[in-house]
Amino acid sequence: MRKPIIAGNWKMNNTASQGVALVKELAPLVTEANCDVVVCVPAIDIPAVSEAIKDTNIELGAQNVHFAEKGAYTGEISAEMLKEYGVKYVIIGHSERRQYFGETDETVNKRTLTALAAGLTPIVCVGESLEERETGKTEEVLFTQIRDGLKGIEDLTKIVIAYEPVWAIGTGKTATAEQANETIGYIRKTLGELFCPKCAANVRIQYGGSMNAKNCKELMAMEEIDGGLIGGASLKAPDFSKIVNFDK
Ligand code: 13P
């Protein structure tokens, strides 16, 4: 049984005090959740949000982690720093980081291995661009991202994968539930071939890209989809709570 995981990715939104207000509004709305509830917040919000979610069922995630343990990496944040504030999850290789900050499958792999070694749960993002989908390269792109980004992982079930088609992010264009299910099915099949079939059957794979209170039920009803990584709709407590409560 794969427990669903609904995670908000706030991206570069919410100051610490705004973030605290958001989780305080959210907490009473998600107490009956039958899934893992996570908010991935800007690094500087982590201390305040960590304090604000104590005694709730909301868990904390970061949006990136550096691959070195510590050292001369100006502007970066280590796994140990995140752990000290009770961070459990960390998004790695989001398409915005690949697109704007030079993230590659190699750096994704290094960050993922470091996060795992520190006991964090990486949420590793993969996904194709519109051009890649339209030219029939989706599977090829995903195969490479999985093979290179996840190289050397011993226990696949310790990570979460987020399938986020780049063309669906922030565009209001969701992949259809069938499209998302089929592509996530391909990801799972590939994981079975590259790692082991049993781990592939147990790894949680989220869908991300314009998921919202309206379309979440249909997406979550699909067999391969184990959760969502939600951007825009995670910034309003009523909207995000509806996604968390998709099964109600
Ligand atoms: P939107 O939900 O705003 O499309 O963002 C998706 C995303 O990138 C989550 O990581």
Side-chain angles (χ1 to χ4, degrees), residues 114-157:
T114 298
L116 279 171
L120 292 164
T121 300
I123 299 177
V124 181
C125 302
V126 295
E128 80 287 0
S129 66
L130 184 58
E131 193 196 336
E132 287 160 349
R133 177 157 284 261
E134 285 177 344
T135 53
K137 297 211 179 89
T138 299
E139 294 192 352
E140 188 186 318
V141 167
L142 291 171
F143 182 87
T144 307
Q145 288 175 344
I146 293 166
R147 182 195 58 199
D148 299 350
L150 304 183
K151 197 165 53 189
I153 293 180
E154 278 170 17
D155 183 357
L156 208 57
T157 61

Side-chain angles (χ1 to χ4, degrees), residues 228-248:
L229 186 57
I230 292 108
S234 72
L235 299 175
K236 296 221 165 74
D239 290 354
F240 189 56
S241 69
K242 282 192 193 113
I243 305 175
V244 167
N245 294 311
F246 67 90
D247 57 339
K248 311 265 180 342

Side-chain angles (χ1 to χ4, degrees), residues 78-131:
S78 75
E80 192 185 7
M81 294 169 191
L82 298 176
K83 291 275 291 181
E84 193 165 292
Y85 283 100
V87 170
K88 296 232 171 85
Y89 294 87
V90 57
I91 297 173
I92 295 175
H94 191 278
S95 67
E96 287 147 18
R97 294 216 58 88
R98 293 178 190 258
Q99 190 179 347
Y100 306 130
F101 301 101
E103 195 83 58
T104 63
D105 291 331
E106 191 191 345
T107 57
V108 167
N109 186 241
K110 286 162 84 173
R111 291 182 206 275
T112 302
L113 293 174
T114 298
L116 279 171
L120 292 164
T121 300
I123 299 177
V124 181
C125 302
V126 295
E128 80 287 0
S129 66
L130 184 58
E131 193 196 336

Side-chain angles (χ1 to χ4, degrees), residues 2 8 15 27 34 40 50-51 111 120 135 166 171 184 186 188 192 198 225 234 247:
R2 302 187 298 260
T15 64
N34 294 315
C40 299
S50 171
E51 188 61 33
R111 291 182 206 275
L120 292 164
T135 53
V166 179
T171 56
I184 291 179
Y186 170 77
R188 201 178 297 286
K198 191 163 167 243
I225 304 180
S234 72
D247 57 339

Side-chain angles (χ1 to χ4, degrees), residues 9 11 94 96 164 168-171 208-211 229-233:
N9 174 9
K11 308 192 179 181
H94 191 278
E96 287 147 18
E164 299 206 307
I169 296 177
T171 56
S210 298
M211 190 162 169
L229 186 57
I230 292 108

